[in-house]
Amino acid sequence: MKRLTIRARLTLVHGGLLLLAGVVLLGVTYVLVDQRLREPLTGVIAKADVVQATPFGKVPAPGAIEQVRILLREAQDEAKRNALESLLTQGAVALLLISVVALGFGWLIAGRALQPLHQITGTARRIAAADAGGRGLHERIALRGPRDEVKELADTFDLMLERLDRSFDGQRRFVANASHELRTPLALNRSLLEVAMSRPGASAELRQLGETLMAVNERHERLIDGLLTLADSEQQVIDRTPVDLAEIAGHLLDQLAGTPGPTVRRRLAPAVTAGDPVLLERLTQNLVENAVRHNLPAGGEIDVSTGTVDGRATLVVVNTGPVVPGYEIETIFQPFRRLHHDRVAAPQRNGAPDRAGAGRGFGLGLSIVRAVAQAHGGGVHAHPRDGGGLVVTVTLPSLGVAVPAPPARTLPAAARG
């Protein structure tokens, strides 16, 4: 059963109290009028008795006086009954009309009183729908009006958003700076290994050790490159150029032609969007590489399709492979997280998913895909494929569809004070 909203409850309470007050007022008025209508009859009867007892003039017969008294009483009762009935009927109609008008005004007043709460709720919903990386935290409520309880709540919420936004920005800057700093020693290691391996008198054992160390160094370079891409893609894209997802996908699939692996099917219709070509190419490349990596060892298939659906540029990558449980879909979008069948690192701890270890990939591919898509105002959705495998769909604003820029950050009064 659907519960009533606060606005509806406030309206009903306001209208109910007014209706109750009107009923009480109508009842009190009814009692007072009923008592007041009895007094004129007593006065008239008393005057009739005086007329009967006076010595002047002709004295009416006692029977006539009694008849007059009965007629007066009947007339008084009739008038009283009509007056009370009119009071009840007309009062009830008036009370009903007033109650309807009061409910209407109560609905408007309650809506106006709850408007700040709707603004707070809308801001919180947009931030929650943005992503888990803190990108939506740039938005502020910036509620205007008298400094009451609701204004203090909005300012406190803005202060919390400001601090969270700074925290996420600091985290992203730390990842980017640390990745940049780590590139230098890795490049130095690569140079030293190449020099040692290229010496004329290098033994076979030294060359084998150098190749192993070069592979480890290359793996670390790919990890740092992924971290840098993830940090860069979590920022809002400002400079946008027209990009056709079909052209990017076709270029990447042409590079796969002739290489051993799953069968690739393509259905590439124009899907033009606006964004950063490098990041969008990385998004498509990660999806294709993920489909190849997690496919069946032999006889697998990959289906890549692009197009424009409902004014959105769409990229869909479907691959066969092991069955993916629906409850693990969100896991593959977390950094350094991989599916159970692809884990080659340490076993699970306390039932939590394993961190990516020394096996294939680092668990950054789909994290980068989600970050890039959301940085372009789009989104990514995945669901298990019937029979095993995965279906990943990326939707981006089509070219010509405006992407709202993030509003300026405004520090609330509570934070400034």
Side-chain angles (χ1 to χ4, degrees), residues 4 10 39 68 75 83-84 109 114 118 124 198 219 240 274 290 292 307 371 399 414:
L4 294 176
L10 288 176
E39 297 179 0
V68 171
L84 294 179
I109 294 173
L114 294 175
H118 292 321
S198 61
R219 177 177 175 81
R240 298 172 180 266
N290 182 79
V292 173
L399 185 64

Side-chain angles (χ1 to χ4, degrees), residues 80-265:
K80 175 183 176 181
R81 185 168 52 254
N82 292 335
L84 294 179
E85 288 179 357
S86 298
L87 176 64
L88 287 179
T89 55
Q90 296 178 9
V93 172
L95 181 60
L96 180 61
L97 294 177
I98 293 175
S99 299
V100 173
V101 175
L103 287 175
F105 277 105
W107 178 263
L108 296 177
I109 294 173
R112 186 173 182 83
L114 294 175
Q115 184 63 33
L117 294 181
H118 292 321
Q119 185 176 349
I120 296 174
T121 303
T123 303
R125 183 178 292 112
R126 288 190 297 272
I127 293 174
D131 66 300
R135 187 180 300 104
L137 295 176
H138 59 263
E139 190 169 357
R140 299 291 179 268
I141 300 174
L143 185 66
R144 298 181 179 180
R147 190 166 185 79
D148 51 10
E149 291 83 355
V150 178
K151 181 68 165 55
E152 292 181 358
L153 173 63
D155 288 345
T156 304
F157 190 78
D158 283 342
L159 178 59
M160 179 189 67
L161 291 177
E162 181 71 21
R163 292 179 177 176
L164 288 175
D165 196 13
R166 291 177 180 176
S167 175
F168 277 102
D169 281 344
Q171 182 181 8
R172 282 191 287 265
R173 285 194 299 270
F174 171 78
V175 172
N177 294 335
S179 300
H180 278 294
E181 291 297 328
L182 289 174
R183 274 187 165 182
T184 301
L186 288 177
L188 180 59
N189 289 342
R190 172 180 287 274
S191 299
L192 294 176
L193 289 173
E194 290 176 349
V195 170
M197 293 172 59
S198 61
R199 289 179 179 176
S203 62
E205 293 80 3
L206 179 60
R207 293 182 182 277
Q208 183 178 2
L209 177 60
E211 292 176 357
T212 303
L213 293 178
M214 287 283 289
V216 174
N217 198 82
E218 182 182 358
R219 177 177 175 81
H220 292 163
E221 289 178 348
R222 288 190 288 111
L223 172 60
I224 292 175
D225 183 63
L227 289 175
L228 279 174
T229 305
L230 182 61
D232 292 338
S233 59
E234 286 186 340
Q235 305 296 329
Q236 190 77 17
V237 177
I238 304 300
D239 298 330
R240 298 172 180 266
T241 58
V243 180
D244 190 353
L245 296 180
E247 182 179 353
I248 295 178
H251 173 69
L252 294 175
L253 294 179
D254 289 340
Q255 295 180 355
L256 289 179
T259 60
T263 303
V264 179
R265 305 178 186 274

